[in-house]
Amino acid sequence: MKEYTKACIPEIEMGTNKMTAKLRLQLDETGQELTVKDLKDWLMLHDVKAGIMEEAIENMIEHDIYDVYVEVARGKEPIKGKDGYYIFHVSNPETIKGPKILEDGSVEYTHTEEYTIVEEGDLLAEYVPPTNGIYGYTVENKVQMPVKGKGVPQLRGKGFRIEEGKYYAAKKGKADVTENAIYITDLLEIKGDVDINSGHIDFKGNVNIRGDVHSGMTVKAEGDIEIKGHVGNCIIEAGGNITINKGMQGKFAGRLKAGKDINCKFFENASAEAKGNIYVRSVLHSKLEAEGKIKVEGRESVVLGGSLYAVQGIELSEAGNLMEVPTTITVGVLPKTLSRIRELDVMIKKVEEDVSLLERVMETFKRVDQSKMTKENKDWRKKIIQAKVMKATELKQYRDEKIQKEALINSGKEAQIVIQNTIFPGCRVEIAGVGMDIKEQLKYTRFVLEDGNIETIPLY
């Protein structure tokens, strides 16, 4: 490898913004012998202090490159900082409209709409702040400032809290996520109908449906359900209240089940069950059950066909008609509830005996020196402890159920049937298992249970 070149004083050319430097050598047989070090020193003398490419200089000498500008130094361009961004840990599920093709090739015509449900404290998103970028330099070793990354506005929305750039759910609910917002709500709002296109509804909150619920659909919610339109042959279940503004035509299969009250304009060929009260204007060939009261109210209110059962009492305007359509009206606690309490008493006594026996066996093990217990005895002791825990859980369940049944009985002790207008022959009234068939029209009547018999008392 050549160690020097014969050249006169070299020429230098600076690039744009002094980010590069080029060198040109001119052959001069009488000139001095210039080495790589000489050329580097010359570059330094002309303020080229950074990014010097020694290999390029060596190549010029090695191959006697003259009269051509060769890049021998290059600065470093500054690197722009990264913009801030969010990492989302929740997202909206894909919405599938209409029939869905399953993996086996079959078609699911009515799917269940999916929603992203979060629990309180769940991490929803985290903010990654912008970076400052990386500094650059020119060949003169002057610092080049980078452009800083841009920040991103704070996420909009509600139902979350922010801690050190991290977004956490402030409550349990449905998460709706966009690029710049997160909304956590316990309300699912359906702006139209619930049908084969929207899919079934199964939501851990409240549901508000602005349209109708078509036959064949299922709507379930842990909270309340409010339906602005009609309901067909559907299954509607709520942990809270159910409200149907325009009534239900169940076609002998539709049913409602509420953890609290049911409020419906009318029932036709449907069934409804409420832990609380049922409020309705008219009932046609339907079966209604309530642990509270049933009130059939309104100027044209009528109960015709089917059966009504409410623990705490029933108030209605008119029951049956001149055609003597069979209609049953029942209040108070039924004999099956009393029978269940007797069953619970037997089961509670049996489990209490089992728990007592297990406790005596445990006392025996406690008196044994633990250091002398065999592995078999230790295994038996473990199984007995597990059995005791299971029996204790079973006992609590039976006792809790008995308390609930007894509270139900107490709530129905004064149950009455109140007829604000007329009850027709063909109807049957029952109070706490005691029945009476109506043989003639009765008006403005109250039915009560006295001394084991049903008595009629005029309202006015």
Side-chain angles (χ1 to χ4, degrees):
M1 177 178 175
K2 292 178 64 178
E3 295 182 358
Y4 62 89
T5 181
K6 293 182 178 181
C8 62
I9 296 174
E11 296 178 2
I12 188 169
E13 181 181 85
M14 289 289 191
T16 304
N17 297 326
K18 297 184 179 181
M19 294 303 294
T20 61
K22 295 181 179 180
L23 193 65
R24 185 176 71 172
L25 302 178
Q26 293 181 338
L27 178 63
D28 186 353
E29 295 292 342
T30 61
Q32 63 178 329
E33 298 174 344
L34 298 178
T35 65
V36 171
K37 183 178 183 306
D38 294 332
L39 294 177
K40 288 174 64 179
D41 290 343
W42 187 86
L43 288 171
M44 293 287 288
L45 184 64
H46 288 78
D47 291 329
V48 178
K49 303 173 182 177
I52 295 174
M53 299 182 288
E54 191 170 318
E55 290 184 4
I57 298 173
E58 291 175 350
N59 190 55
M60 293 178 74
I61 294 174
E62 175 72 17
H63 297 93
D64 294 323
I65 298 174
Y66 301 107
D67 300 319
V68 176
Y69 279 103
V70 176
E71 185 176 280
V72 294
R74 178 179 296 172
K76 180 181 178 182
E77 294 284 354
I79 299 176
K80 178 182 179 299
K82 293 182 179 180
D83 293 340
Y85 62 96
Y86 287 97
I87 299 174
F88 289 92
H89 296 278
V90 293
S91 61
N92 300 325
E94 294 183 8
T95 301
I96 303 171
K97 297 295 184 182
K100 176 183 177 182
I101 308 299
L102 302 179
E103 292 183 359
D104 61 4
S106 61
V107 179
E108 181 184 38
Y109 288 96
T110 308
H111 61 279
T112 298
E113 195 74 45
E114 296 181 353
Y115 307 97
T116 299
I117 305 298
V118 297
E119 300 290 335
E120 182 179 350
D122 282 356
L123 177 62
L124 308 174
E126 55 185 311
Y127 181 54
V128 179
T131 62
N132 292 325
I134 299 176
Y135 287 86
Y137 53 84
T138 67
V139 294
E140 292 182 343
N141 205 26
K142 292 182 178 180
V143 174
Q144 296 290 292
M145 294 289 292
V147 177
K148 293 183 178 181
K150 295 181 180 180
V152 179
Q154 182 173 296
L155 292 177
R156 295 183 289 105
K158 62 181 181 179
F160 56 77
R161 56 183 171 81
I162 307 173
E163 294 180 7
E164 298 181 350
K166 294 184 177 181
Y167 292 69
Y168 297 92
K171 62 180 181 179
K172 176 181 178 180
K174 178 173 73 78
D176 289 317
V177 183
T178 66
E179 291 182 355
N180 52 18
I182 297 177
Y183 291 88
I184 307 299
T185 175
D186 58 2
L187 174 65
L188 171 64
E189 191 166 13
I190 307 297
K191 296 183 179 180
D193 296 345
V194 174
D195 54 21
I196 195 171
N197 290 314
S198 68
H200 300 303
I201 304 297
D202 190 352
F203 183 60
K204 297 180 180 179
N206 302 318
V207 175
N208 188 320
I209 300 169
R210 295 187 183 180
D212 300 332
V213 181
H214 293 204
S215 291
M217 305 307 298
T218 298
V219 178
K220 296 182 179 181
E222 289 188 359
D224 299 335
I225 296 175
E226 182 177 1
I227 301 168
K228 301 293 186 182
H230 291 90
V231 173
N233 173 15
C234 306
I235 296 174
I236 312 292
E237 296 183 4
N241 301 310
I242 296 177
T243 302
I244 302 174
N245 289 3
K246 294 185 178 179
M248 180 177 189
Q249 294 171 302
K251 300 179 181 179
F252 298 103
R255 60 182 175 86
L256 307 183
K257 186 176 183 180
K260 293 182 180 179
D261 295 344
I262 293 176
N263 195 319
C264 185
K265 185 174 182 180
F266 68 86
F267 287 105
E268 181 180 332
N269 303 322
S271 66
E273 180 182 337
K275 290 287 186 180
N277 304 316
I278 296 179
Y279 304 95
V280 61
R281 294 186 184 178
S282 63
V283 182
L284 179 62
H285 299 294
S286 296
K287 180 181 179 181
L288 309 186
E289 295 184 6
E291 291 188 8
K293 293 183 177 181
I294 294 179
K295 292 187 178 184
V296 187
E297 305 171 305
R299 287 186 301 176
E300 299 179 357
S301 66
V302 63
V303 176
L304 182 61
S307 63
L308 274 61
Y309 167 56
V311 174
Q312 296 180 16
I314 294 176
E315 296 179 20
L316 54 88
S317 177
E318 192 169 289
N321 64 4
L322 292 172
M323 301 299 293
E324 300 187 7
V325 176
T327 305
T328 303
I329 303 167
T330 305
V331 299
V333 175
L334 296 179
K336 65 179 182 181
T337 303
L338 299 173
S339 176
R340 177 58 179 170
I341 288 180
R342 288 192 292 270
E343 290 177 1
L344 288 169
D345 284 335
V346 172
M347 290 187 288
I348 288 171
K349 183 178 180 181
K350 174 65 170 62
V351 178
E352 285 176 340
E353 290 173 353
D354 292 341
V355 171
S356 177
L357 175 60
L358 291 169
E359 287 177 345
R360 290 198 299 272
V361 175
M362 284 295 299
E363 287 297 324
T364 301
F365 276 107
K366 287 181 180 179
R367 292 193 292 270
V368 177
D369 188 343
Q370 299 296 311
S371 63
K372 297 180 180 179
M373 284 185 66
T374 64
K375 182 179 181 304
E376 184 178 4
N377 285 339
K378 290 181 179 179
D379 289 342
W380 270 109
R381 180 175 178 272
K382 182 178 179 181
K383 290 179 180 179
I384 291 169
I385 293 173
Q386 291 173 341
K388 183 185 174 184
V389 171
M390 292 176 63
K391 286 294 181 181
T393 302
E394 185 180 358
L395 182 59
K396 183 179 184 304
Q397 291 174 344
Y398 291 150
R399 286 173 173 170
D400 288 347
E401 185 181 351
K402 182 182 177 182
I403 291 172
Q404 292 172 359
K405 296 296 184 186
E406 288 174 340
L408 194 62
I409 290 173
N410 289 331
S411 70
K413 281 183 177 180
E414 305 298 326
Q416 301 178 359
I417 298 171
V418 178
I419 307 297
Q420 300 285 357
N421 192 345
T422 308
I423 184 168
F424 290 88
C427 293
R428 179 177 174 83
V429 296
E430 296 181 1
I431 303 178
V434 178
M436 171 190 287
D437 293 319
I438 305 303
K439 301 299 184 181
E440 59 182 359
Q441 286 189 30
L442 297 174
K443 285 181 173 292
Y444 319 121
T445 303
R446 183 194 311 272
F447 294 92
V448 298
L449 187 65
E450 291 186 0
D451 299 326
N453 296 308
I454 295 179
E455 303 290 341
T456 58
I457 302 173
L459 290 181
Y460 312 109

